[in-house]
Amino acid sequence: MTVSNVMAVADLVKAPLVANPDLLSGKPSLIGLTREQLADALRQKGVPDKQVRMRVSQLWHWLYIRGVSDFDAMTNVAKDMREMLKQHFTIARPEVVEEQVSNDGTRKWLLRFPPRGAGRPVEVETVYIPEEGRGTLCISSQVGCSLTCSFCHTGTQRLVRNLTSEEILSQLLLARDRLGDFPGADTPPGAFVPTGDRKVTNIVMMGMGEPLYNFEHVKNALLIASDGDGLSLSKRRITLSTSGVVPEIYRTGDEIGVMLAISLHAVRDELRDMLVPINKKYPLKELIEACRNYPGLSNARRITFEYVMLKDVNDSLEDAKELIKLLKGVPAKINLIPFNPWPGTNYQCSDWATIEKFADFINQAGYASPIRTPRGRDILAACGQLKSESERMRKTERLAFEAMMIAGHGEDDD
């Protein structure tokens, strides 16, 4: 798929596609709760202790294996129990404000969640990228972002609030709904999805926000997503991307155990301070040391380093040489990302010949360095282009830098 083939939006569905009154009811959701939290919630509503374990198992099955979003669909749960659940809780999906489908099959959903202290409902974007043999979902962890990376469109939207475990996990459930990825569901007519049992095979925490500034909610959501008795995604197929929150990198390995990606983009502190300002707090030496000591790191479980190619900024052969020196001793893959333009940016993408020369040098040094094929540019769903209207901008100036960054993360085989 060439860039020229994806420069027109194939389909645009405007909203609301999904609107559930339970979203505005203030009822707590059961989605995103751990088994222990789910048990406590049931006990508080009078479920006898001797029934709690069985009820938790039933709910877990219906929520994460069957993918239901209506208590009445839980056919093996007694009617009085279903009525109690409907009265006190919700399992509703978020409101789908807008769905866009790129000519290359990339899908992007603009989702609306309740205010929860933000003063008004908030919106985030979730992107699905189908490839041959795999389908990758890019999930947001915050509304907006506090990091202000200078090349990233998402970074121009101020942080509104963290997403809850429920809201993070609901993005996966909603995508599986829309793709017909739960038992008995149908794939949308004409959708490009991978062959095989699953439409969503991989997830990446690369959407809006810095996941490690919302650690506990991200942790709970990813542990549920990888739970073998539910959604059952392999941790080798889940990638968390961070700009370099060093203390939480260690915790990610110990407490979550998923694949790690680092938004690197520069090999010298003075440049990275400008491109990725968190570098001023956690400079390259500390960041690379944390990567070197990431739990479970091996040649089979490499860290991915994201490197956006910016013309005359970080794309010289000298930069490539310094990159190899910087990563010495770290089992790594280096993803080279042609810069995706967005309205108002002053950066340009490196020339293709420059990118290929950069990649060749890294390959010759023994590192895999795939060049990302641009995906979803026509709907601003590519790497770094995601942005929601929770900061009131024109919709045509929202969506794009994430999709290309999404593709190719995690293992192809469990």
Side-chain angles (χ1 to χ4, degrees):
M1 182 67 65
T2 64
V3 174
S4 61
N5 288 335
V6 298
M7 291 310 290
V9 178
D11 189 21
L12 171 63
V13 184
K14 293 194 175 179
L17 295 173
V18 178
N20 191 313
D22 274 356
L23 292 171
L24 303 176
S25 69
K27 296 177 186 176
S29 178
L30 297 183
I31 295 169
L33 299 183
T34 65
R35 284 185 174 83
E36 294 75 17
Q37 291 168 336
L38 192 51
D40 288 342
L42 295 180
R43 287 191 190 97
Q44 290 173 17
K45 299 305 176 185
V47 176
D49 280 343
K50 63 182 180 180
Q51 292 186 19
V52 165
R53 184 174 180 182
M54 181 264 290
R55 295 303 186 192
V56 168
S57 179
Q58 286 180 319
L59 289 169
W60 202 266
H61 172 89
W62 285 110
L63 291 176
Y64 301 126
I65 293 179
R66 301 297 295 275
V68 305
S69 56
D70 183 345
F71 288 116
D72 284 331
M74 299 180 176
T75 52
N76 67 342
V77 177
K79 184 175 181 180
D80 59 345
M81 178 72 176
R82 295 201 304 265
E83 291 301 320
M84 183 278 288
L85 292 170
K86 285 193 289 185
Q87 180 181 351
H88 296 291
F89 303 106
T90 179
I91 52 174
R93 299 292 189 254
E95 178 185 344
V96 182
V97 178
E98 184 175 278
E99 179 177 28
Q100 290 181 279
V101 184
S102 169
N103 283 335
D104 65 13
T106 298
R107 288 176 177 260
K108 184 174 64 176
W109 297 280
L110 179 65
L111 306 179
R112 181 175 294 149
F113 294 105
R116 294 199 170 107
R120 58 188 176 190
V122 297
E123 297 171 352
V124 300
E125 292 180 332
T126 304
V127 175
Y128 173 72
I129 297 182
E131 301 172 82
E132 196 66 42
R134 63 192 283 159
T136 303
L137 185 70
C138 177
I139 295 176
S140 294
S141 58
Q142 296 178 309
V143 185
C145 187
S146 62
L147 293 183
T148 64
C149 297
S150 61
F151 59 88
C152 180
H153 195 202
T154 310
T156 67
Q157 178 184 356
R158 67 178 180 84
L159 178 66
V160 178
R161 70 168 174 85
N162 286 336
L163 294 178
T164 65
S165 300
E166 170 215 343
E167 292 164 337
I168 294 167
L169 197 61
S170 287
Q171 294 172 66
L172 173 57
L173 300 179
L174 184 283
R176 291 192 63 182
D177 282 346
R178 306 291 294 180
L179 295 167
D181 202 21
F182 280 116
D186 294 326
T187 301
F192 173 45
V193 294
T195 57
D197 294 335
R198 288 192 170 191
K199 279 75 174 179
V200 178
T201 63
N202 295 61
I203 61 176
V204 293
M205 294 301 307
M206 293 184 179
M208 295 166 59
E210 166 54 65
L212 296 189
Y213 277 158
N214 189 17
F215 184 87
E216 294 298 335
H217 288 296
V218 168
K219 171 185 170 180
N220 284 348
L222 294 185
L223 290 180
I224 293 173
S226 60
D227 187 284
D229 293 324
L231 293 164
S232 197
L233 279 163
S234 166
K235 290 185 179 181
R236 293 179 65 185
R237 289 174 173 265
I238 300 174
T239 301
L240 184 150
S241 178
T242 177
S243 294
V245 187
V246 167
E248 308 302 333
I249 289 176
Y250 295 104
R251 291 187 65 197
T252 299
D254 285 333
E255 300 178 29
I256 310 178
V258 296
M259 307 293 279
L260 183 68
I262 302 293
S263 293
L264 188 64
H265 312 306
V267 295
R268 296 179 301 278
D269 279 321
E270 59 272 22
L271 178 57
R272 195 164 190 269
D273 286 350
M274 180 179 67
L275 296 179
V276 188
I278 195 177
N279 194 72
K280 298 173 185 177
K281 186 172 185 180
Y282 303 112
L284 284 168
K285 182 179 179 180
E286 293 181 28
L287 174 59
I288 300 303
E289 185 65 18
C291 293
R292 191 170 280 114
N293 292 302
Y294 189 69
L297 184 63
S298 67
N299 286 329
R301 293 177 63 88
R302 298 172 294 176
I303 292 176
T304 299
F305 289 88
E306 309 287 357
Y307 197 93
V308 65
M309 300 297 293
L310 301 170
K311 186 174 184 178
D312 299 328
V313 175
N314 64 352
D315 61 352
S316 70
L317 192 57
E318 188 61 34
D319 287 307
K321 293 176 181 177
E322 290 299 317
L323 181 57
I324 298 305
K325 290 180 184 177
L326 183 69
L327 300 184
K328 185 177 181 181
V330 180
K333 177 172 77 171
I334 302 162
N335 276 346
L336 301 180
I337 306 168
F339 174 68
N340 289 300
W342 44 269
T345 183
N346 292 319
Y347 291 109
Q348 299 177 34
C349 181
S350 302
D351 297 332
W352 197 254
T354 301
I355 297 174
E356 289 185 327
K357 185 177 180 181
F358 198 101
D360 287 344
F361 182 86
I362 294 171
N363 278 318
Q364 290 169 12
Y367 290 91
S369 58
I371 302 171
R372 290 286 178 75
T373 303
R375 299 294 302 274
R377 276 182 166 176
D378 53 328
I379 57 171
L380 286 175
C383 297
Q385 290 180 316
L386 299 193
K387 183 167 182 172
S388 79
E389 215 185 353
S390 289
E391 176 193 71
R392 295 293 168 189
M393 290 187 67
R394 291 173 53 207
K395 289 185 179 179
T396 54
E397 293 183 357
R398 270 198 335 258
L399 316 167
F401 184 37
E402 219 27 72
M404 198 164 54
M405 195 168 179
I406 299 166
H409 275 285
E411 299 297 319
D412 289 325
D413 299 306
D414 292 345

